Structure formats: structure tokens, C-alpha cells
């Protein structure tokens, strides 16, 4: 089903114990890269509530969203903070920068009047609406022709599924801008509700929104045990379920492609296996190609100065506590940094010396729900290659 507008993390699913058919194209090896050293995490700020989006400007200041608080805060390297924007009652996130301009999005929480709005703000200006993403979704609905669920299931079996959990459905109207990336006069949006990458070309008097690509569904094979556990008809046992593919970040690489982290529909933890992935999208043609897979809760990514990809895995690592995985662009080598519940990651610096910015403990709080225990941390990375 579509992700809830509040958040799509830890979504309920009908396939909690399904078996997964892995894609060979997304297989990746693990190993140690002897060419770099990684320092210990340094904490810049704490007490953050759901810090799920992060950007670093040209002066090394970090812009961190507190999504459920509806607030955007800027931190200096020394930890001094200032509030940049607020959106009371809404979810605020999808932060990025380009030059002196900051971009972010708000997603309304009133189910009777859903909204999704993209904003920009210059160095000395006030917030300006540059796109009504909910209106675009209502008119275009990019994934309306995509079939999710059990494709080709006999009608006699499909009719046994409850109305609130249909065996098959098409993409519905839903917008949840989760990440942005400004590049070459456009703002690219990873819309986790639309299951699509959008592009917003802004002008002085108006903006134009277009669909760059709809992300292809993620598949899993369902067992009779999984169906029985959810009280669903076992006539669908052994068939393939097509989950929605949920984009959680978008970054433009030096090769011109858009790199996108993906959560699979259904459970984002490891109960269905490590199904998170990174793909790249041609911004001109919408062509989607696999880059790497095997992630658990891939909620963000960052591109390093040497092309290495850092993936924030909310449920990765030992006991699903979270990690950031560095994926080498030239080999199957991976290196994992155990960081608790990473929500967002950015990478700045040169090939010799760079800094990874990470928000951690993004969903801290336990059974009582997210609490203001999130942190903004940095990790120094030095390369030994000459």
C-alpha cells in the first residue's frame, strides 16, 4: 500500500514472513578497503526529534530537519544553532542547498486536506513556494498505470482478499516529498508517496513539474505460512507480490545520473531480507539502472568525492541497530560504520580528506514513539591512495 503521509518507516505489511527472490543484478560483496581510514564519530548537536533530512552548505554549516516537529535548524561546526524555517502541524523535510539557496518541503497532516509543498529561501529572503507537489500528483499520478500486489491472480482467489487489503491495486494519488537535490536550474524530488522522481524547473513567476521516472516495483515470493499468519487466503501461496518501490533520497552524480536510495514496500526491516537498493536514473530519459543492493532500511545516501556511495541503513548491522555502509564505485568492497538508527547522511571534502555528516538515533524513544534524542555527528575519512 502507499506510504502513510506521516512516515513510511516500519510500515505494516501482509508479508511479514515471506521469502524473497534476490536480484543478481543487485548483488554486492563485502570487504575491507585498505586505502582509507575512518575516525571516531564526533557529536555536533543532540536533542533532535526525527532528524530525517540533512544538507551541508558551502560554509560547512549543517541544515537538519526535525521532521515531526516541523522545523529546519542550521548548525555551525561548533554546534551553534539557528532556526531557518518552521511548518507547525506539518512534516518538514527534503532539505538541500544550491549556492546560497535552501530548499525543503512540507507535507500536511490533515487527511481532509492533504498537501505537499516545495519551498525555497535565499540568503536574506523569505520562504517562497515554488511547487505544489500534491496538485501535480493529483493531476498526473505518475504510477497510476503500475500494478501492485499479485499480478495475474485468478479472480476466484483475488475475491477472497478483504477490501482494505486487496490482492491487486494500481498506484493511488499520494505525495510525500522525502528528499530533494538542486542541480543545473532544477530541483529533483524523491517523492515517497508517488513512488517517483520528479523535476521542478523554477522561474521568477512560475514553476514547471515533470516526472523523471517511476521506480519499478520490488518483488517477493509469498509462502502459505506468511498468508496464514496474516489471516489471508492461501490460494496466493507461491505467487509473486509486486511491492511499491519507495525513493528516500536523490543525489546527482558527477556522471550526470541521479542516484536514488530505495525502500521496498512492506517491512523496511530485515523480516523479508535485505531488499533495500541504490539505483541510478537518467534525468533525460528516465532510464533506471541497478547500482547496489542488499541494504536494510536504506533511508538516505551520499556521494563521496571519489565516487564512493554512503548508504544510511536504518535497520542494518548487528541486531538491526543501524549502520552507514560505504560502497566502493570500482569494486565489490563495502565498509560498514555502526551508527545507531542513521536517518540522513551527507559527504563533503576532497578525495584525500573528507567528512561524513550523519544524523543518528533518528527514531529513538522505543515503544512510546520518537523522542528528541537524535544527534548530528561527523566522521572524518582520510584516503591513503596517492
Amino acid at each position: 500500500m502507499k506510504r502513510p503521509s506521516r512516515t513510511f518507516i516500519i510500515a505494516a505489511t501482509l508479508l511479514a514472513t515471506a521469502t524473497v527472490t534476490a536480484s543478481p543484478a543487485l548483488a554486492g560483496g563485502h570487504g575491507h578497503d585498505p586505502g582509507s581510514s575512518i575516525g571516531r564519530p564526533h557529536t555536533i548537536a543532540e536533542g533532535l526529534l526525527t532528524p530525517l533530512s540533512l544538507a551541508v552548505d558551502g560554509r560547512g554549516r549543517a541544515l537538519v530537519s526535525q521532521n515531526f516537529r516541523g522545523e529546519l535548524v542550521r548548525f555551525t561546526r561548533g554546534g551553534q544553532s539557528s532556526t531557518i524555517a518552521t511548518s507547525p502541524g506539518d512534516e518538514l523535510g527534503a532539505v538541500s542547498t544550491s549556492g546560497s539557496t535552501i530548499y525543503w518541503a512540507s507535507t500536511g497532516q490533515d487527511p481532509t486536506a492533504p498537501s505537499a509543498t516545495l519551498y525555497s529561501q535565499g540568503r536574506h529572503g523569505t520562504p517562497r513556494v515554488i511547487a505544489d507537489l500534491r496538485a501535480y500528483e493529483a493531476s498526473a499520478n505518475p504510477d497510476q498505470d503500475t500494478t501492485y500486489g499479485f499480478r495475474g491472480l485468478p479472480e476466484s482467489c483475488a475475491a477472497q482478499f478483504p477490501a482494505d487489503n486487496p490482492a491487486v491495486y494500481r498506484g493511488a494519488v499520494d505525495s510525500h516529498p522525502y528528499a530533494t537535490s538542486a542541480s543545473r536550474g532544477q530541483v529533483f524530488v524523491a517523492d515517497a508517496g508517488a513512488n517517483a522522481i520528479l523535476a521542478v524547473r523554477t522561474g521568477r513567476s512560475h514553476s514547471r513539474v515533470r516526472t523523471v521516472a517511476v521506480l519499478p516495483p520490488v518483488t517477493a515470493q509469498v509462502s502459505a505460512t506468511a498468508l496464514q499468519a496474516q489471516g489471508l487466503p492461501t490460494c496466493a501461496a507461491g505467487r509473486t507480490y509486486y511491492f511499491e518501490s519507495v525513493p528516500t533520497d536523490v543525489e546527482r552524480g558527477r556522471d550526470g545520473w541521479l542516484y536514488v536510495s530505495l525502500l521496498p514496500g512492506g517491512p523496511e526491516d530485515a523480516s523479508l531480507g535485505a531488499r533495500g537498493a541504490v539505483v541510478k536514473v537518467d534525468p533525460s530519459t528516465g532510464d533506471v539502472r541497478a547500482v547496489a543492493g542488499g541494504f536494510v532500511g536504506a533511508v538516505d545516501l551520499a556521494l563521496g568525492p571519489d565516487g564512493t556511495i554512503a548508504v544510511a541503513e536504518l535497520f542494518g548491522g548487528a541486531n538491526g541497530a543501524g549502520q552507514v555502509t560505504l560502497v566502493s564505485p570500482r569494486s565489490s568492497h563495502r565498509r560498514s560504520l555502526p551508527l545507531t538508527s542513521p536517518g540522513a547522511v551527507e559527504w563533503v571534502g576532497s578525495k584525500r580528506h573528507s567528512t561524513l555528516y550523519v544524523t543518528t538515533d533518528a527514531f529513538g524513544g522505543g515503544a512510546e514513539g520518537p523522542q528528541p534524542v537524535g544527534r548530528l555527528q561527523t566522521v572524518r575519512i582520510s584516503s591513503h591512495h596517492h
Side-chain angles (χ1 to χ4, degrees):
M1 59 177 62
K2 288 280 188 177
R3 304 301 95 205
S5 59
R6 190 56 159 169
T7 180
F8 47 82
I9 306 297
I10 319 179
T13 177
L14 65 92
L15 299 173
T17 58
T19 58
V20 180
T21 302
S23 169
L26 294 181
H30 295 262
H32 174 75
D33 180 3
S36 65
S37 61
I38 298 176
R40 296 176 62 86
H42 167 70
T43 299
I44 293 178
E46 348 181 63
L48 302 173
L49 178 65
T50 55
L52 304 180
S53 187
L54 167 67
V56 181
D57 66 17
R59 297 169 62 182
R61 300 174 300 183
L63 293 146
V64 182
S65 68
Q66 300 190 82
N67 286 48
F68 292 2
R69 186 172 280 164
E71 184 176 70
L72 175 60
V73 183
R74 182 166 58 202
F75 293 96
T76 66
R77 294 174 181 174
Q80 289 76 34
S81 66
S82 57
T83 300
I84 301 301
T86 60
S87 186
D90 296 337
E91 179 185 345
L92 187 153
V95 181
S96 64
T97 65
S98 179
S100 60
T101 303
I102 303 170
Y103 299 91
W104 74 90
S106 68
T107 303
Q109 300 307 302
D110 183 355
T112 65
S115 64
T117 310
L118 181 63
Y119 293 89
S120 70
Q121 181 175 329
R123 180 177 298 171
H124 303 296
T126 57
R128 180 173 74 94
V129 174
I130 58 174
D132 185 337
L133 300 177
R134 173 70 190 192
Y136 177 76
E137 168 71 5
S139 64
N141 190 10
D143 69 339
Q144 63 183 310
D145 294 326
T146 303
T147 301
Y148 301 108
F150 293 102
R151 296 180 180 178
L153 193 67
E155 180 59 34
S156 59
C157 181
Q160 299 179 41
F161 280 75
D164 61 349
N165 203 343
V168 64
Y169 65 100
R170 295 289 184 92
V173 173
D174 184 16
S175 181
H176 184 180
Y178 197 75
T180 62
S181 178
S183 176
R184 302 177 186 177
Q186 297 184 91
V187 181
F188 295 100
V189 181
D191 194 315
N195 302 325
I197 302 300
L198 311 177
V200 180
R201 186 173 294 280
T202 62
R204 291 183 178 273
S205 58
H206 68 281
S207 302
R208 183 173 66 87
V209 185
R210 69 179 176 91
T211 300
V212 176
V214 175
L215 285 312
V218 178
T219 60
Q221 194 175 48
V222 188
S223 68
T225 301
L227 292 164
Q228 288 176 335
Q230 299 298 318
L232 296 173
T234 58
C235 57
R239 291 184 175 270
T240 298
Y241 192 95
Y242 289 77
F243 286 100
E244 298 177 34
S245 199
V246 181
T248 55
D249 195 15
V250 56
E251 300 284 350
R252 187 155 194 165
R254 295 186 179 183
D255 57 3
W257 288 71
L258 303 177
Y259 286 75
V260 178
S261 54
L262 297 176
L263 284 176
E268 279 78 49
D269 61 14
S271 58
L272 282 178
R275 300 183 300 141
V278 173
V279 300
K280 64 179 184 179
V281 179
D282 187 323
S284 299
T285 66
D287 182 30
V288 180
R289 298 184 184 178
V291 175
F295 305 110
V296 184
V299 292
D300 204 54
L301 65 81
L303 303 179
D306 65 348
T308 299
I309 303 172
V311 181
E313 295 184 74
L314 189 65
F315 306 116
N319 302 317
Q323 66 183 12
V324 172
T325 299
L326 308 183
V327 182
S328 171
R330 293 175 294 274
S331 70
S332 61
H333 286 296
R334 296 189 180 192
R335 192 168 185 180
S336 297
L337 314 181
L339 295 167
T340 307
S341 299
V345 60
E346 285 295 325
W347 206 333
V348 298
S350 66
K351 292 182 179 180
R352 291 291 301 276
H353 301 287
S354 61
T355 301
L356 204 63
Y357 287 72
V358 187
T359 61
T360 57
D361 298 289
F363 276 94
E368 64 272 24
Q371 299 296 312
V373 296
R375 293 179 291 172
L376 171 63
Q377 297 186 295
T378 58
V379 179
R380 295 284 291 174
I381 300 176
S382 299
S383 174
H384 301 157
H385 294 299
H386 296 282

